[in-house]
């Protein structure tokens, strides 16, 4: 493509060369540059792409997109922009022929609930006959193909590549998790979302490499609602006014609040040996609005919020009430409060909760089902904050009747050292605990010592199917481990 065509939605200044140059590929990884490439000089948290200019020129780059002035031979075109990340998003959309314009895009943002909600929406829409693509924390789904995810929201050039493949595969709708980092780093810039969704917000992702403050985190989340036609919001979130600040979209709401456009009534927890669920009535509109009796095989009040969101979205695609109900009843998300049948007497769940906030939410939810004992098995990742270990230990000690402390992804640390830090936190409580470093042995202990009426949760790994030790990924899927334990292997 001609460079001039790629720059049509970008403010730019040509420092040298010609915008009539032909571009053979667009690249943001210096190692992948080839003859005739356009290279984006991205200023990242770890490194600055401007440093690689000599290397990419040697590899054959003919166009550089820069923020800072660089030295380059006369036959290399240098285009200066205010923000190379924003330019990369717009140029990538142009390179792939603006695929988002060929489909309806649904973007979901919030601290919790993004992953489950994307799968619920996908399940309902597919049952109604739509072909749906998905981009999220666990995977990217294009037709029958599933690609493991590296980030919740990939880099803009990767998103546009996926969207082009989805459009070519005949997808009519794309459901996408939109992280605060993705919004902050312009990964979704230039994408015309049909619907944007706000699930909830709590302090998270605040630190040197993420958001400088909670206020910054909120502001980044709110950007989605200046980029979509319709916004669907959690009416019960106390910080909703901050999310709505400067919005440009139409507004709809969901929640338990009487003011919510779609609201939940008559919520009931469903509990029987080996099974947890929830039921409620969704009321769409005022007192005389359409009513939908919903039952979900995913426990907890947050499942009501996630499913209300899915109902709100799918009504805009004229999905029947019957299709919505059937799809919600069977919706499952790998590693998100995922029930695994091991006994008719107690319940076992796998969940991705890997920080204190998520663990507290999960255990508090499960306690509402009044188990005989709440048993929590977890570990913490190596080469990460020790504070997380203390906090998770303390949280489990306060809320669980028994904590089984084990290994997660030890990375370059010794599992015993990580476990010792978790024990420091749990000792601040009166909670009972055991330590079993080998995760399979720990899971076997939980299953073999399960008592009638127990709820056992394996926390931290969720959808992951590996264990990271000293830079290597070793296969380890908790579902496989459970099956081996049940078969006596």
């Amino acid at each position: 493509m001609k460079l001039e065509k790629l720059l049509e939605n970008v403010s730019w200044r040509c420092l040298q060369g010609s915008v009539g140059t032909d571009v053979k590929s667009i690249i943001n990884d210096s190692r992948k540059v080839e003859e005739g490439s356009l290279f984006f000089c991205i200023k990242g948290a770890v490194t600055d792409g401007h440093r690689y200019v000599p290397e990419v020129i040697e590899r054959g780059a003919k166009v550089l997109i820069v923020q800072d002035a660089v030295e380059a031979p006369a036959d290399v075109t240098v285009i200066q922009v205010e923000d190379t990340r924003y330019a990369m998003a717009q140029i990538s959309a142009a390179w792939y022929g603006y695929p988002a314009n060929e489909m309806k895009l649904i973007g979901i943002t919030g601290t919790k609930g993004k992953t489950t909600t994307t799968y619920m929406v996908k399940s309902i829409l597919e049952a109604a006959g739509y072909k749906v693509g998905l981009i999220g924390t666990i995977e990217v789904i294009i037709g029958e193909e599933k690609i493991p995810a590296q980030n919740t929201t990939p880099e803009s050039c990767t998103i546009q590549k996926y969207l082009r493949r989805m459009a070519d595969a005949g997808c009519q709708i794309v459901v996408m998790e939109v992280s605060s980092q993705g919004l902050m780093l312009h990964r979704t810039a230039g994408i015309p979302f049909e619907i944007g969704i706000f699930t909830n917000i709590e302090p998270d992702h605040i630190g040197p490499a993420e958001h400088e403050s909670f206020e910054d985190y909120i502001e980044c989340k709110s950007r989605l609602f200046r980029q979509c036609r319709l916004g669907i919001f959690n009416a019960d979130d106390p910080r909703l006014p901050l999310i709505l600040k400067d919005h440009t979209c139409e507004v709809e709401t969901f929640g338990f609040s009487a003011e919510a456009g779609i609201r939940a009534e008559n919520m009931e927890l469903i509990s029987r040996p080996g099974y947890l669920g929830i039921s409620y009535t969704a009321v769409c509109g005022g007192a005389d609005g359409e009513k939908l009796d919903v039952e979900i095989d995913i426990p907890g009040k947050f499942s009501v919020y996630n499913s209300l969101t899915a109902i709100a979205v799918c009504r805009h695609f004229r999905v029947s009430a019957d299709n919505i109900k059937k799809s919600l009843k069977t919706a499952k998300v790998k590693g998100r409060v995922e029930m695994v049948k091991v006994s008719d007497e107690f319940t076992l769940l796998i969940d991705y909760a890997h920080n204190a906030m998520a663990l507290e939410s999960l255990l508090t939810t499960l306690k509402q089902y009044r188990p005989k004992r709440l048993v929590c098995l977890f570990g913490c990742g190596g080469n990460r904050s020790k504070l997380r270990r203390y906090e998770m230990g303390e949280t489990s000690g306060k809320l669980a009747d028994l904590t089984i402390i084990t290994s997660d992804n030890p990375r370059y640390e010794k599992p015993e050292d990580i476990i010792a830090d978790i024990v420091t936190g749990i000792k601040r409580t009166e909670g009972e605990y055991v330590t079993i470093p080998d995760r399979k042995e720990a899971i076997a202990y939980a299953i073999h010592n399960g008592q009638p009426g127990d709820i056992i949760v394996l926390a931290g790994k969720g959808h992951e199917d590996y264990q990271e030790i000293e830079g290597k990924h070793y296969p380890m899927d908790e579902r496989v481990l459970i099956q081996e334990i049940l078969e006596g292997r």
Side-chain angles (χ1 to χ4, degrees):
M1 290 179 72
K2 294 289 184 189
L3 175 58
E4 192 170 23
K5 171 70 176 170
L6 295 175
L7 295 170
E8 62 187 3
N9 288 318
V10 180
S11 296
W12 52 273
R13 188 160 70 99
C14 186
L15 299 184
Q16 68 176 57
S18 165
V19 293
T21 301
D22 283 323
V23 173
K24 294 183 179 175
S25 60
I26 60 170
I27 306 288
N28 69 326
D29 182 338
S30 61
R31 296 164 297 184
K32 296 179 180 177
V33 168
E34 56 195 10
E35 188 65 37
S37 289
L38 175 153
F39 178 69
F40 300 101
C41 296
I42 303 294
K43 287 189 167 185
V46 178
T47 188
D48 183 347
H50 294 77
R51 289 171 43 197
Y52 299 99
V53 166
E55 179 187 325
V56 300
I57 288 172
E58 197 172 311
R59 287 176 176 268
K62 287 291 179 271
V63 178
L64 302 176
I65 305 295
V66 303
Q67 280 176 231
D68 305 334
V70 296
E71 288 187 15
D75 65 338
V76 174
T77 298
V78 180
I79 301 294
Q80 188 175 39
V81 296
E82 186 177 334
D83 187 319
T84 48
R85 284 191 181 279
Y86 182 81
M88 180 165 71
Q90 298 288 1
I91 289 170
S92 298
W95 176 261
Y96 287 104
Y98 302 102
N101 294 341
E102 300 171 32
M103 303 172 286
K104 300 288 189 186
L105 264 72
I106 301 165
I108 302 177
T109 199
T111 305
K112 293 183 292 195
K114 295 188 296 296
T115 302
T116 301
T117 304
T118 55
Y119 282 89
M120 283 183 171
V121 170
K122 184 175 186 291
S123 175
I124 295 170
L125 291 174
E126 285 182 335
Y130 290 98
K131 188 162 186 181
V132 185
L134 182 145
I135 300 174
T137 301
I138 298 175
E139 62 197 349
V140 175
I141 303 176
I142 307 171
E144 297 301 311
E145 185 182 2
K146 295 186 177 183
I147 305 162
Q150 303 299 317
N151 304 93
T152 295
T153 307
E155 281 289 5
S156 56
C157 47
T158 306
I159 290 175
Q160 294 295 339
K161 179 175 70 175
Y162 288 149
L163 292 179
R164 170 42 60 203
R165 289 187 57 197
M166 288 174 182
D168 291 349
C171 290
Q172 300 151 289
I173 302 169
V174 177
V175 191
M176 178 177 172
E177 292 185 52
V178 183
S179 67
S180 57
Q181 284 284 98
L183 288 159
M184 180 175 75
L185 300 175
H186 304 302
R187 290 174 182 167
T188 56
I191 294 177
F193 287 98
E194 175 70 11
I195 299 176
I197 293 160
F198 167 66
T199 60
N200 52 64
I201 197 157
E202 295 176 26
D204 197 15
H205 299 292
I206 297 162
E210 296 185 278
H211 298 281
E212 61 185 30
S213 64
F214 188 34
E215 289 71 25
D216 178 58
Y217 179 53
I218 292 172
E219 193 281 323
C220 286
K221 290 282 189 196
S222 72
R223 292 179 189 181
L224 178 60
F225 305 103
R226 299 192 286 277
Q227 201 179 326
C228 63
R229 185 191 66 76
L230 167 68
I232 299 177
F233 301 85
N234 179 350
D236 300 343
D237 194 287
R239 297 182 177 95
L240 178 58
L242 296 172
I243 293 291
L244 282 169
K245 188 175 184 289
D246 300 326
H247 76 278
T248 57
C249 59
E250 295 174 33
V251 174
E252 291 183 6
T253 56
F254 63 90
F256 286 81
S257 162
E259 290 76 42
I262 296 182
R263 68 184 186 279
E265 295 181 348
N266 309 321
M267 184 184 82
E268 287 186 25
L269 305 180
I270 303 169
S271 178
R272 52 184 180 267
Y275 175 84
L276 303 174
I278 200 159
S279 68
Y280 69 96
T281 301
V283 182
C284 308
D288 299 325
E290 181 188 2
K291 294 188 177 181
L292 202 65
D293 291 323
V294 177
E295 185 175 323
I296 314 165
D297 291 354
I298 307 173
K301 189 176 180 180
F302 51 76
S303 294
V304 175
Y305 281 110
N306 294 339
S307 55
L308 280 174
T309 313
I311 292 168
V313 169
C314 293
R315 280 165 53 84
H316 285 279
F317 293 94
R318 305 191 186 284
V319 180
S320 70
D322 196 43
N323 263 337
I324 290 174
K325 285 171 65 172
K326 283 180 183 174
S327 299
L328 287 176
K329 180 74 177 98
T330 57
K332 299 280 187 297
V333 186
K334 187 178 182 183
R336 298 302 193 277
V337 208
E338 176 189 354
M339 278 181 286
V340 180
K341 183 76 170 177
V342 295
S343 169
D344 290 327
E345 296 190 323
F346 59 85
T347 306
L348 185 141
L349 305 156
I350 295 175
D351 193 80
Y352 189 49
H354 59 287
N355 61 38
M357 182 173 69
L359 192 64
E360 181 177 12
S361 173
L362 174 67
L363 297 180
T364 302
T365 292
L366 296 177
K367 280 181 82 72
Q368 292 171 354
Y369 285 84
R370 301 184 182 280
K372 179 181 179 183
R373 294 186 310 164
L374 179 54
V375 179
C376 178
L377 178 151
F378 77 96
C380 288
N383 303 103
R384 297 291 187 270
S385 167
K386 286 197 172 197
L387 185 61
R388 175 178 289 190
R389 303 170 192 177
Y390 306 146
E391 289 175 343
M392 288 185 73
E394 189 169 357
T395 298
S396 188
K398 285 178 179 174
L399 294 171
D401 298 294
L402 173 65
T403 300
I404 303 170
I405 305 171
T406 187
S407 186
D408 193 290
N409 291 319
R411 299 188 176 89
Y412 291 95
E413 287 192 70
K414 291 179 180 176
E416 293 80 5
D417 293 343
I418 300 170
I419 288 170
D421 288 334
I422 298 170
V423 169
T424 299
I426 205 167
K427 280 187 173 177
R428 295 171 184 165
T429 74
E430 301 296 314
E432 286 187 34
Y433 70 93
V434 295
T435 63
I436 306 174
D438 183 278
R439 198 168 184 106
K440 184 175 180 180
E441 287 180 21
I443 295 170
Y445 177 89
I447 292 172
H448 295 327
N449 290 279
Q451 298 175 17
D454 282 355
I455 295 176
I456 301 169
V457 60
L458 314 183
K461 294 295 290 175
H463 60 276
E464 292 180 356
D465 57 4
Y466 64 87
Q467 189 171 39
E468 187 180 344
I469 304 170
E470 294 187 355
K472 291 185 179 179
H473 283 198
Y474 295 89
M476 193 188 78
D477 186 320
E478 290 187 319
R479 295 147 205 81
V480 174
L481 296 184
I482 290 165
Q483 194 60 39
E484 289 175 355
I485 291 162
L486 295 178
E487 292 172 0
R489 290 190 280 144

